[in-house]
Amino acid sequence: MSDFEVDPAFETGSIAVADWPLCHIRLQDDGRFPWLILIPRVAGAVEIEDLEPEDRARLLEEIIRAGELVRPLGGKAGLAVDKLNVAALGNVTAQLHVHVVGRRRDDPLWPDPVWGRPGAFPWPDAMREALLAAARA
Amino acid sequence: MSDFEVDPAFETGSIAVADWPLCHIRLQDDGRFPWLILIPRVAGAVEIEDLEPEDRARLLEEIIRAGELVRPLGGKAGLAVDKLNVAALGNVTAQLHVHVVGRRRDDPLWPDPVWGRPGAFPWPDAMREALLAAARA
């Protein structure tokens, strides 16, 4: 992982949270949704197939862990999410990354996807700190 | 898998292709994109975490296989895709399913996500048959 660097594009709109065994974890600073971004710390990876099989398994474990983190945090109301949205897109920033987003039926964009939609507002400080503490535990 | 049934909602807009070891595979009939839908044949599964660990690994293998299938088929022009979009959303149809979509920088929606966007046209017959044959091989 020595040549790995996070694409600077992620610095706009998201906050570094932690490094898990495979992934660098970021919190999307969008108070509409509890939303983590998992970036495997593997230089040059763009698609899931670019990971070695053992790293693919780690990625899945970390996706599930991220889901457990966002599940109790359904937005500023702190209510449980109804559905996880898990996606590796990368049309804008090619570096392999996986979004794990907690969705609620009453969130502002339901049932549409969250990507490329304006209207983000920063997380309330207390909620951001709670999510960061959980992700770093 | 005996109680598994494909949610009837998938019958609108997609075509049954094959059953792979884990997933029922469907082709989204949207000639703008080569787009497969993988539905794990596990009754009641909604989130990835609902799968047993060995099925999670199978799902990843089948996601990669699906990517290999769509990669050479960048739409009606038959050109290679630039990026795979892999996503488990399920806001509209909760049954666990994974989209594997081949995207091109000149496709009609790039770089936006494909979900919930009108404008689909059916696959040209020859392309549809080629993709079905490849997925069934």
Side-chain angles (χ1 to χ4, degrees):
Chain A
M1 298 183 181
S2 58
D3 293 334
F4 171 80
E5 290 185 18
V6 175
D7 190 308
F10 289 107
E11 289 169 17
T12 303
S14 71
I15 302 163
V17 172
D19 282 340
W20 289 356
L22 178 65
C23 294
H24 173 67
I25 309 296
R26 301 185 71 86
L27 172 67
Q28 186 81 357
D29 198 22
D30 183 340
R32 298 176 296 177
F33 315 101
W35 178 345
L36 294 174
I37 300 173
L38 286 59
I39 308 173
R41 288 180 287 129
V42 175
V46 170
E47 304 284 3
I48 296 167
E49 68 212 48
D50 297 335
L51 299 179
E52 299 293 333
E54 61 269 26
D55 282 342
R56 295 174 194 168
R58 281 194 196 103
L59 178 61
L60 252 185
E61 288 171 22
E62 295 185 5
I63 287 170
I64 290 169
R65 180 176 170 191
E68 290 169 353
L69 280 174
V70 305
R71 188 175 281 291
L73 299 167
K76 62 182 177 179
L79 299 172
V81 309
D82 293 307
K83 189 70 189 69
L84 298 175
N85 286 180
V86 177
L89 304 177
N91 303 342
V92 176
T93 304
Q95 183 175 57
L96 178 61
H97 61 285
V98 179
H99 301 271
V100 178
V101 190
R103 302 297 305 273
R104 287 174 48 84
R105 291 191 182 86
D106 61 0
D107 76 36
L109 295 177
W110 181 274
D112 292 338
V114 297
W115 301 277
R117 298 288 296 267
F121 56 85
W123 276 85
D125 288 346
M127 291 294 290
R128 183 196 295 114
E129 291 310 311
L131 187 47
L132 290 175
R136 288 167 176 158
Chain B
M1 298 183 184
S2 57
D3 293 334
F4 171 79
E5 290 185 17
V6 175
D7 190 306
F10 289 106
E11 289 168 17
T12 303
S14 71
I15 303 162
V17 171
D19 283 340
W20 289 355
L22 177 66
C23 294
H24 173 66
I25 309 296
R26 302 185 71 86
L27 172 67
Q28 185 80 357
D29 198 22
D30 183 340
R32 299 176 295 177
F33 315 101
W35 179 345
L36 294 175
I37 300 173
L38 286 59
I39 309 173
R41 289 181 287 128
V42 175
V46 170
E47 304 284 3
I48 296 167
E49 67 211 50
D50 296 335
L51 299 179
E52 299 293 333
E54 61 269 27
D55 281 342
R56 295 174 194 169
R58 280 193 196 103
L59 178 61
L60 253 186
E61 288 171 21
E62 296 185 5
I63 287 170
I64 290 170
R65 180 177 170 190
E68 290 169 353
L69 280 173
V70 305
R71 188 175 281 292
L73 299 167
K76 63 182 176 179
L79 299 172
V81 309
D82 294 307
K83 188 70 189 69
L84 298 175
N85 286 181
V86 176
L89 305 177
N91 302 343
V92 176
T93 305
Q95 184 176 57
L96 178 61
H97 60 286
V98 179
H99 302 270
V100 178
V101 190
R103 302 298 304 274
R104 287 173 50 83
R105 292 192 182 86
D106 61 358
D107 75 35
L109 294 177
W110 181 273
D112 292 339
V114 297
W115 301 278
R117 298 287 296 268
F121 56 84
W123 276 85
D125 288 346
M127 290 292 291
R128 183 196 295 114
E129 292 310 312
L131 187 47
L132 291 175
R136 288 169 176 157

